[in-house]
C-alpha cells in the first residue's frame, strides 16, 4: 500500500476520489492500494524557547542569544490526533512508500518533511508536483511521480528559512522587549514592511502643500493649458497679456500609440486588484482563491509567475472560452498565446487561470467573494490574450503673447483588451490644426491647484511596495525579489494589524494602513539592518542558492547565528527613548539601581528607564518553587524596605508551610532573594 499525505483534508479527498481511495477511516481514506491522509497545514512546528530550558519562560537580557543546539518540534494538542494517525500509517508494515502530496512549493515541502522526520519514517519517499486540482492534473501527476530526494535542496531552503526566522524573531523580539519594557515583535519581513508604512506617514506629515496656477485658453471646440506657475501675480499677468489677443499654432503632431495588455495574474497582482476594485484584504483574497483551488475552479494560488508554460498553448483557447462565459463576454477575435506562454518566466508554478472544471460550475452557487475573484481571473485572462489598445494622440503647441500652451486630443483606434474592463478612457478629438494657423480665444481662465502629499499605503500599494522592495539591490538574475513571498505577504499585513503596529482606516473610497504610535516608536529604535528590505532580499537570494545546491545550509545558518550574536552584543539603548514607549502603568515604587519609577505589567514589575534592566518577575523561580505569588503589595514593600513578610511559604524539602521574611538583594547587575526567619528584624 502507498501512503499519500496531502496538506489539507479537502485536497486529500480530491486526490482520493481520483485514485480510488473511497473507504472512509478515522483520519484517512483507503482503497485500490492507497491510503490517503492529510496534515492541517503545519502539523508540527519549531518549539518555543521555553521548551529548551525553563529559564526562557522569563525574558531576560542575560539569556540572549538563544540558539538551540538540537532543534525541537511540537505538535499542538488540537492536531495531535492527526499526527498520531499519520505516524501509525507511516509505520504500518503494509505501507511500502510515502507520497508527498502537500502543496508544490517550499512551505509544502517543509510541512511534509517535518512530519515525516519527527515521526521517524524511513520508507521510500515520492513527490507529487501539480498546479491544478483537476482530475486530469492529478492523474498526470501520479503518472509522473518524482523521487523525493530530488527535492532535498528545496527542503533544505525551507528549513533554513524557518530556523533563521525563529532565531531572528525570538532573539530580536526578546531583546527589544526587555530593553524597552514592552512587547515588541520584530521579524526580518514584518519590520521592513512596518518601516515603509512609518516612512510614508512621516513623508505625509512633513509635506507642505504649495499652491500652483495655470492659464487656460478656450477656443470653443477645444482648450489649451499653460505650464504651472507658482506665483499668483505672474499668472495674472499672463492672463492679462493674452486678453483680446490672437493665438497661433506652432505645431500639431499626431501619433498612433498602443498599450500592451496586462499579464496574467500572479497572486500578488490579483490581491492588489481585488483590494483596489473590491475592497478585499490580501488575506481575504488568498482565502477565496485557496477555496476556488480546492474546488478545482482555478490553478495553484501561491504563484509568483504571470506566465504559462508553452505546452499549455494548446488548451489556452478552451480556457479563454470558459473565461468569456464566466463574465458573459465575447471571445477575443484573436488569442495571442505567444504573449502569455513562456517557459523561461515560469518557475515552480504558472500564472493563476481558471480550470476546465469552471465550465460546468454554477457560478451563482459560489459565495460572493469566491464569485468575484473568479470573475477577476476570467477578465484578466481575456485581457492578457487580447490585442493591444490602440489610439491616436494629437499634441498641439500654441502660443499667445509669448506664452506657450498645450492642447492634447485622443481618439481610439481599437479598444483591444480594454473592451473587457471599465475604463475612464474617452475620446477627446482635436480639430485639424495646421502650423501658423491663427486661433481666436473665446475665454481665458485661471485655475488654482495645490500640490498633494504622498498617499497613505493601502493593501494594494503596500503589496506592490513589498514586491519591489530592495529590487534595485538584487542582481538581475535573481528569480525572487522583494519582501516575503506571494504566499506570506497577506499574513505579514495581518500580523502588523493584530499586534497593534498599524491600523486600517476606512476612507470614502479606500482603506488606508496607518502606523500606530508603538509601531512608529519601534522603527525609531530598530537598527537599520532589521528595518531594511536588504536583509530579507539577501536571505531570499541565499535560499535560492540552497535550492539550487550552490550554497551549503550550514554556511547560511552560521551567518544567521553570527548576525544575531552581533545584534545582542552591540545594540545600545537609544538615549532619551523613554518617551517613545510610555507605559501608563501605575507606579509601585522606586528602582534600587537608578531611582526611576518601577511599574507593574503582566509579567512583573519593571524599571521604566530603558537602559536599566531591573525587574521583579512574577514567576521568579525562587518564589514559584515556594508557591509564593509576588503581589503588588509585596513588590511595594520589597522596593521600599528590601524585605517583605510572607505567610504559608511551601517547603520543598518537608512539604510543610512556614512564615518568613523574603529579602531582596540587588548588586546593580543581578537581583537575588533569600529567607530571613528572624521576626525581630
Amino acid at each position: 500500500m502507498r501512503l499519500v499525505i496531502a496538506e489539507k483534508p479537502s485536497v486529500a479527498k480530491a486526490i482520493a476520489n481520483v485514485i480510488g481511495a473511497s473507504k472512509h477511516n478515522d483520519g484517512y481514506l483507503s482503497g485500490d492500494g492507497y491510503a490517503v491522509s492529510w496534515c492541517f497545514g503545519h502539523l508540527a512546528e519549531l518549539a518555543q524557547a521555553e521548551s529548551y530550558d525553563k529559564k526562557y519562560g522569563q525574558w531576560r537580557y542575560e539569556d540572549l542569544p538563544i540558539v538551540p543546539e538540537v532543534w525541537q518540534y511540537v505538535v499542538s494538542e488540537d492536531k495531535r490526533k492527526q499526527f498520531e494517525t499519520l505516524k501509525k500509517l507511516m509505520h504500518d508494515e503494509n505501507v511500502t512508500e510515502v507520497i508527498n502530496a502537500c502543496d508544490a512549493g517550499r512551505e509544502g515541502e517543509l510541512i511534509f518533511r517535518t512530519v515525516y522526520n519527527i515521526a521517524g519514517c524511513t520508507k521510500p519517499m515520492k513527490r507529487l508536483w501539480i498546479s491544478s486540482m483537476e482530475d486530469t492534473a492529478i492523474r498526470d501527476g501520479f503518472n509522473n511521480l518524482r523521487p523525493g530526494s530530488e527535492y532535498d535542496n528545496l527542503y533544505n531552503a525551507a528549513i533554513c528559512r524557518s530556523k533563521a526566522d525563529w532565531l531572528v524573531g525570538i532573539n530580536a523580539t526578546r531583546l527589544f522587549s526587555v530593553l524597552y519594557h514592552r512587547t515588541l515583535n520584530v521579524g526580518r519581513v514584518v519590520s521592513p514592511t512596518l518601516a515603509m508604512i512609518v516612512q510614508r506617514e512621516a513623508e505625509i506629515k512633513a509635506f507642505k502643500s504649495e499652491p500652483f496656477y495655470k492659464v487656460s485658453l478656450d477656443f470653443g471646440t477645444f482648450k489649451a493649458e499653460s505650464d504651472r506657475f507658482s506665483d499668483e501675480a505672474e499668472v495674472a499677468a499672463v492672463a492679462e497679456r493674452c486678453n483680446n489677443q490672437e493665438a497661433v499654432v506652432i505645431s500639431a503632431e499626431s501619433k498612433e500609440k498602443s498599450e500592451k495588455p496586462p499579464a496574467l495574474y500572479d497572486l500578488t497582482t490579483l490581491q492588489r486588484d481585488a483590494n483596489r476594485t473590491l475592497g478585499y484584504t490580501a488575506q481575504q483574497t488568498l482565502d477565496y482563491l485557496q477555496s476556488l483551488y480546492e474546488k478545482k475552479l482555478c490553478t495553484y494560488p501561491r504563484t509568483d509567475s504571470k506566465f504559462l508554460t508553452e505546452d499549455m498553448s494548446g488548451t489556452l483557447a478552451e480556457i479563454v472560452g470558459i473565461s468569456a462565459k464566466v463574465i458573459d463576454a465575447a471571445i477575443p477575435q484573436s488569442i495571442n498565446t505567444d504573449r502569455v506562454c513562456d517557459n523561461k518566466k515560469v518557475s515552480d508554478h504558472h500564472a493563476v487561470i481558471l480550470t476546465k472544471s469552471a465550465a460546468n460550475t454554477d457560478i451563482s452557487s459560489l459565495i460572493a467573494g469566491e464569485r468575484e475573484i473568479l470573475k477577476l481571473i476570467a477578465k484578466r485572462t481575456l485581457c492578457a490574450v487580447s490585442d493591444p489598445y490602440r489610439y491616436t494622440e494629437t499634441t498641439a503647441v500654441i502660443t499667445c503673447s509669448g506664452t506657450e500652451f498645450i492642447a492634447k486630443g485622443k481618439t481610439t483606434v481599437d479598444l483591444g483588451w480594454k473592451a473587457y474592463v471599465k475604463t475612464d478612457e474617452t475620446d477627446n478629438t482635436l480639430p485639424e490644426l495646421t502650423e501658423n494657423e491663427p486661433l481666436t480665444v473665446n475665454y481665458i481662465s485661471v485655475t488654482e491647484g495645490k500640490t498633494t502629499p504622498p498617499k497613505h499605503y493601502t493593501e494594494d500599494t503596500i503589496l506592490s511596495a513589498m514586491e519591489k522592495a530592495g529590487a534595485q539591490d538584487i542582481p538581475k538574475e535573481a528569480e525572487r525579489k522583494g519582501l516575503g513571498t506571494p504566499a506570506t505577504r497577506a499574513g505579514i499585513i495581518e500580523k502588523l494589524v493584530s499586534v497593534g503596529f498599524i491600523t486600517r482606516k476606512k476612507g470614502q473610497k479606500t482603506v488606508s494602513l496607518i502606523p500606530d504610535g508603538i509601531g512608529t516608536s519601534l522603527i525609531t529604535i530598530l537598527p537599520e539592518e532589521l528595518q531594511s528590505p536588504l536583509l530579507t532580499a539577501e536571505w531570499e537570494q541565499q535560499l535560492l542558492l540552497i535550492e539550487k545546491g550552490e550554497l551549503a545550509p550550514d554556511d547560511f545558518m552560521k551567518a544567521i547565528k553570527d548576525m544575531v550574536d552581533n545584534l545582542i552584543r552591540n545594540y545600545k539603548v537609544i538615549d532619551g527613548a523613554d518617551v517613545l514607549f510610555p507605559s501608563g502603568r501605575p507606579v509601585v515604587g522606586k528602582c534600587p539601581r537608578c531611582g526611576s519609577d518601577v511599574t507593574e505589567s503582566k509579567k512583573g514589575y519593571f524599571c521604566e528607564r530603558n537602559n536599566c534592566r531591573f525587574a521583579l518577575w512574577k514567576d521568579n523561580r525562587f518564589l514559584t518553587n515556594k508557591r509564593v505569588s509576588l503581589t503588588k503589595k509585596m513588590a511595594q514593600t520589597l522596593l521600599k524596605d528590601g524585605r517583605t513578610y510572607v505567610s504559608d511559604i511551601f517547603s520543598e524539602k518537608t512539604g510543610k508551610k512556614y512564615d518568613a521574611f523574603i529579602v531582596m538583594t540587588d548588586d546593580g547587575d543581578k537581583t537575588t532573594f533569600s529567607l530571613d526567619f528572624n521576626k525581630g528584624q
Side-chain angles (χ1 to χ4, degrees):
M1 184 168 62
R2 306 167 90 186
L3 172 61
V4 181
I5 300 178
E7 193 163 315
K8 294 182 177 181
S10 57
V11 176
K13 291 172 184 175
I15 291 173
N17 287 338
V18 173
I19 61 177
S22 57
K23 182 181 178 182
H24 288 260
N25 307 283
D26 188 10
Y28 69 102
L29 300 105
S30 61
D32 204 17
Y34 288 97
V36 183
S37 192
W38 54 85
C39 302
F40 291 110
H42 285 277
L43 206 57
E45 298 185 272
L46 289 172
Q48 291 299 309
E50 48 267 33
S51 297
Y52 295 92
D53 194 315
K54 288 183 179 180
K55 69 179 182 180
Y56 295 144
Q58 295 180 11
W59 290 20
R60 298 186 303 187
Y61 179 84
E62 293 76 14
D63 293 330
L64 300 177
I66 302 171
V67 181
E69 292 184 11
V70 179
W71 291 86
Q72 299 177 15
Y73 290 83
V74 293
V75 179
S76 59
E77 284 305 312
D78 61 329
K79 297 179 179 180
R80 178 157 294 281
K81 181 180 178 182
Q82 187 60 22
F83 171 75
E84 294 298 334
T85 297
L86 287 172
K87 184 176 180 180
K88 183 177 179 181
L89 287 169
M90 287 182 189
H91 290 279
D92 190 319
E93 61 181 13
N94 295 315
V95 171
T96 56
E97 67 178 11
V98 184
I99 298 172
N100 175 8
C102 290
D103 286 357
R106 190 191 289 166
E107 286 307 297
E109 198 68 27
L110 180 62
I111 288 169
F112 170 82
R113 296 282 190 117
T114 301
V115 172
Y116 180 89
N117 290 336
I118 66 174
C121 187
T122 58
K123 291 180 179 178
M125 182 189 356
K126 292 289 180 64
R127 189 46 157 121
L128 175 71
W129 192 274
I130 55 177
S131 293
S132 168
M133 288 305 299
E134 288 188 289
D135 292 359
T136 53
I138 294 172
R139 289 193 190 95
D140 289 344
F142 272 89
N143 289 333
N144 294 280
L145 292 172
R146 306 298 304 167
S149 58
E150 289 187 9
Y151 298 88
D152 285 350
N153 287 334
L154 181 65
Y155 168 67
N156 289 335
I159 194 62
C160 281
R161 193 279 310 158
S162 179
K163 291 177 179 178
D165 275 338
W166 192 98
L167 287 171
V168 172
I170 292 289
N171 286 286
T173 294
R174 290 190 175 214
L175 172 67
F176 294 103
S177 297
V178 167
L179 295 182
Y180 294 97
H181 307 306
R182 183 142 186 183
T183 301
L184 298 172
N185 297 87
V186 180
R188 57 111 184 177
V189 177
V190 70
S191 297
T193 303
L194 174 62
M196 290 193 293
I197 296 173
V198 170
Q199 176 63 30
R200 175 61 58 86
E201 186 69 15
E203 292 169 357
I204 293 170
K205 288 182 177 179
F207 184 84
K208 293 183 179 180
S209 182
E210 296 180 354
F212 63 85
Y213 310 89
K214 288 185 177 183
V215 179
S216 178
L217 306 182
D218 189 328
F219 299 105
T221 56
F222 71 99
K223 294 180 181 180
E225 201 171 53
S226 70
D227 284 338
R228 289 183 178 184
F229 292 90
S230 58
D231 186 86
E232 188 174 9
E234 183 181 2
V235 78
V238 170
E240 180 62 30
R241 288 197 302 270
C242 291
N243 192 31
N244 297 321
Q245 298 298 311
E246 189 177 72
V248 178
V249 177
I250 296 177
S251 63
E253 184 178 14
S254 294
K255 288 184 178 180
E256 184 170 309
K257 296 185 176 182
S258 65
E259 291 181 22
K260 292 180 179 179
L264 294 168
Y265 278 135
D266 63 359
L267 174 58
T268 300
T269 312
L270 176 56
Q271 287 171 318
R272 292 184 58 198
D273 273 6
N275 178 252
R276 184 171 59 254
T277 62
L278 301 171
Y280 296 166
T281 67
Q283 189 62 53
Q284 286 174 323
T285 298
L286 179 55
D287 291 343
Y288 290 140
L289 195 58
Q290 180 69 28
S291 180
L292 290 170
Y293 172 66
E294 292 174 13
K295 291 177 180 178
K296 308 182 182 183
L297 299 179
C298 74
T299 56
Y300 186 72
R302 293 169 176 81
T303 177
D304 58 1
S305 176
K306 299 177 182 179
F307 292 85
L308 305 176
T309 53
E310 291 162 15
D311 61 358
M312 299 176 70
S313 60
T315 59
L316 184 58
E318 185 177 356
I319 300 301
V320 169
I322 295 169
S323 300
K325 180 182 176 183
V326 165
I327 63 169
D328 192 22
I331 297 174
Q333 291 183 346
S334 59
I335 298 175
N336 299 294
T337 57
D338 291 344
R339 185 178 290 116
V340 297
C341 296
D342 188 341
N343 287 345
K344 295 179 181 178
K345 296 180 179 179
V346 178
S347 51
D348 293 342
H349 301 284
H350 58 68
V352 179
I353 57 173
L354 303 188
T355 62
K356 295 179 182 179
S357 299
N360 304 316
T361 300
D362 178 10
I363 306 302
S364 63
S365 67
L366 300 174
I367 62 174
E370 294 174 0
R371 186 166 60 248
E372 293 305 315
I373 293 298
L374 199 70
K375 288 180 179 179
L376 273 185
I377 299 169
K379 190 181 297 182
R380 178 53 72 97
T381 301
L382 294 172
C383 289
V385 300
S386 294
D387 291 331
Y389 162 60
R390 294 189 296 116
Y391 60 95
T392 299
E393 184 177 84
T394 303
T395 302
V397 181
I398 299 167
T399 185
C400 184
S401 297
T403 301
E404 283 192 354
F405 297 81
I406 303 295
K408 288 191 175 184
K410 189 174 185 179
T411 305
T412 297
V413 176
D414 183 359
L415 270 176
W417 64 272
K418 288 201 174 184
Y420 296 104
V421 297
K422 289 182 179 180
T423 175
D424 55 4
E425 302 288 348
T426 56
D427 285 359
N428 176 31
T429 306
L430 288 181
E432 189 172 334
L433 300 172
T434 58
E435 190 175 337
N436 297 321
E437 179 181 348
L439 300 171
T440 300
V441 180
N442 292 344
Y443 183 73
I444 300 174
S445 61
V446 175
T447 57
E448 180 180 351
K450 287 186 176 181
T451 55
T452 56
K455 293 182 179 180
H456 290 289
Y457 276 117
T458 63
E459 296 208 25
D460 165 23
T461 54
I462 195 63
L463 284 169
S464 176
M466 292 174 75
E467 189 175 35
K468 298 173 183 175
Q472 68 275 14
D473 300 295
I474 302 290
K476 293 180 180 179
E477 64 271 14
E479 295 176 37
R480 189 175 291 148
K481 300 179 175 68
L483 289 171
T485 67
T488 60
R489 288 172 187 141
I492 293 299
I493 297 171
E494 292 303 320
K495 183 172 183 178
L496 286 171
V497 173
S498 67
V499 299
F501 288 168
I502 66 173
T503 57
R504 290 186 172 103
K505 184 178 180 181
K506 192 171 184 179
Q508 290 184 340
K509 295 182 178 179
T510 59
V511 177
S512 300
L513 302 177
I514 310 295
D516 206 349
I518 188 174
T520 302
S521 296
L522 174 57
I523 295 305
T524 303
I525 58 97
L526 276 187
E528 178 64 23
E529 67 177 334
L530 289 181
Q531 58 175 288
S532 168
L534 285 180
L535 175 63
T536 194
E538 291 169 359
W539 278 26
E540 201 56 55
Q541 188 173 6
Q542 291 173 348
L543 292 173
L544 285 167
L545 293 176
I546 294 173
E547 286 184 24
K548 296 175 181 178
E550 298 173 10
L551 176 66
D554 287 347
D555 292 342
F556 173 83
M557 291 307 303
K558 182 180 183 304
I560 299 300
K561 292 172 184 176
D562 289 345
M563 185 196 80
V564 169
D565 187 60
N566 288 333
L567 174 67
I568 302 299
R569 286 190 292 104
N570 298 325
Y571 181 81
K572 303 297 181 185
V573 173
I574 294 176
D575 290 336
D578 308 58
V579 296
L580 292 172
F581 303 101
S583 67
R585 296 187 292 262
V587 177
V588 297
K590 294 295 182 181
C591 176
R593 296 183 189 178
C594 68
S596 299
D597 290 339
V598 173
T599 60
E600 181 181 12
S601 66
K602 186 177 180 180
K603 292 178 178 282
Y605 308 89
F606 304 97
C607 179
E608 288 281 282
R609 185 176 173 184
N610 287 316
N611 59 0
C612 178
R613 302 193 186 106
F614 175 77
L616 292 175
W617 294 89
K618 290 182 179 179
D619 59 352
N620 178 281
R621 190 182 301 176
F622 179 88
L623 300 178
T624 55
N625 287 343
K626 294 170 175 52
R627 300 180 185 176
V628 174
S629 297
L630 183 59
T631 65
K632 181 178 179 180
K633 186 175 181 180
M634 290 168 59
Q636 289 173 326
T637 307
L638 283 171
L639 292 170
K640 181 182 178 182
D641 303 326
R643 57 175 51 212
T644 185
Y645 193 73
V646 180
S647 301
D648 295 330
I649 300 173
F650 176 76
S651 172
E652 299 166 76
K653 292 183 178 180
T654 66
K656 297 180 179 180
K657 294 182 178 180
Y658 56 89
D659 302 340
F661 280 100
I662 292 179
V663 181
M664 178 184 74
T665 303
D666 188 87
D667 62 4
D669 182 56
K670 189 176 181 181
T671 304
T672 56
F673 296 93
S674 60
L675 295 174
D676 184 351
F677 296 93
N678 187 349
K679 294 184 179 181
Q681 293 186 0

